[in-house]
Amino acid sequence: MAQLYFYYSAMNAGKSTSLLQSSYNYNERGMRTLIFTAEIDNRFSQGKVSSRIGLSADALLFSPTTNMAEIIKSENGIKKVHCVLIDECQFLTKQQVEQLCDIVDNCDIPVLCYGLRTDFSGELFAGSQYLLAWADKLVELKTVCYCGRKANKVLRIGNDGIPVYEGAQVDIGGNEKYISVCRKHYTEAIEQAKLMNQGVIPKVAIHFN
């Protein structure tokens, strides 16, 4: 039976690489995959999933108004779809996660979702919240903090090199804006940033090494 998978991690844990490898494994066996990625993430060429190690593949774009079930069922009617893979799945809406559940349960097509669990303030993204609640399988892809501990939080870094702890949930960026750290060093960095903003200590860029 098909299942809904949620592969989650902090930044730079190889989510896109894992997705592309899974798609390749299906394709190598003559099976068709559909890859989706978030329209809002325009760091790379739109309509592609790209990994930091140079791999890439064409992808369909989704936005909050995209009917995932409708597209997948239409594509499956044209030619059998053996697996659906979703990059940046944290940007899915609750309704879209419900649609993916429908695809798994009623079309018997496995759906593999890859994305962040939490944002820069430690809060769940909407897509991640409902995938954590409803996915059949939860798989953590691990990366490490600069101290060697498991990185389970993401810091957003301002242009001045100081961590940001307030603002919009979504602010697209890569290594120049985000760094994955352990809970201890996340807390320490945010406390330092608050003291800087209060004028208690001088404002200087925080170095993570």
Side-chain angles (χ1 to χ4, degrees):
M1 296 294 291
Q3 292 186 313
L4 175 62
Y5 296 80
F6 180 28
Y7 294 87
Y8 65 90
S9 74
M11 294 278 289
N12 298 329
K15 294 181 294 297
S16 296
T17 302
S18 180
L19 181 155
L20 292 167
Q21 181 64 59
S22 294
S23 180
Y24 178 83
N25 291 344
Y26 274 93
N27 297 160
E28 192 177 36
R29 289 160 178 76
M31 298 178 178
R32 183 187 181 207
T33 59
L34 284 184
I35 300 175
F36 288 86
T37 192
E39 185 177 62
I40 193 173
D41 189 347
N42 56 8
R43 287 174 295 161
F44 308 105
S45 300
Q46 280 211 317
K48 279 191 178 295
V49 170
S50 300
S51 72
R52 289 178 296 127
I53 63 172
L55 302 174
S56 65
D58 292 334
L60 299 170
L61 296 175
F62 73 86
S63 72
T65 60
T66 302
N67 188 317
M68 308 293 284
E70 186 177 271
I71 294 173
I72 296 166
K73 288 176 181 179
S74 175
E75 289 289 335
N76 192 48
I78 296 169
K79 184 179 179 182
K80 171 68 177 173
V81 174
H82 295 88
C83 183
V84 175
L85 303 104
I86 316 288
D87 193 38
E88 304 292 355
C89 66
Q90 69 269 14
F91 296 128
L92 292 167
T93 65
K94 177 182 179 181
Q95 184 178 31
Q96 288 169 333
V97 177
E98 289 176 333
Q99 292 167 2
L100 295 175
C101 290
D102 172 47
I103 291 298
V104 170
D105 296 340
N106 298 309
C107 297
D108 200 29
I109 300 173
V111 177
L112 283 58
C113 298
Y114 296 78
L116 301 174
R117 180 174 56 173
T118 57
D119 63 16
F120 75 104
S121 61
E123 298 295 329
L124 291 170
F125 286 95
S128 305
Q129 175 184 346
Y130 292 103
L131 284 166
L132 285 168
W134 299 336
D136 299 297
K137 292 286 179 66
L138 303 174
V139 182
E140 183 179 21
L141 301 176
K142 297 179 178 64
T143 189
V144 295
C145 177
Y146 63 89
C147 70
R149 293 187 181 94
K150 184 179 80 169
N152 56 8
K153 290 207 168 188
V154 177
L155 280 170
R156 179 185 291 173
I157 309 300
N159 294 331
D160 54 5
I162 298 173
V164 177
Y165 50 88
E166 293 177 324
Q169 184 179 54
V170 178
D171 187 4
I172 300 300
N175 293 343
E176 82 290 348
K177 188 174 291 185
Y178 294 97
I179 180 170
S180 295
V181 293
C182 66
R183 184 172 54 244
K184 177 186 179 201
H185 286 112
Y186 174 90
T187 301
E188 288 180 355
I190 294 300
E191 287 176 351
Q192 276 187 276
K194 288 180 177 179
L195 291 173
M196 289 180 195
N197 289 332
Q198 292 165 7
V200 177
I201 60 176
K203 278 195 171 187
V204 294
I206 297 177
H207 298 286
F208 301 93
N209 51 42

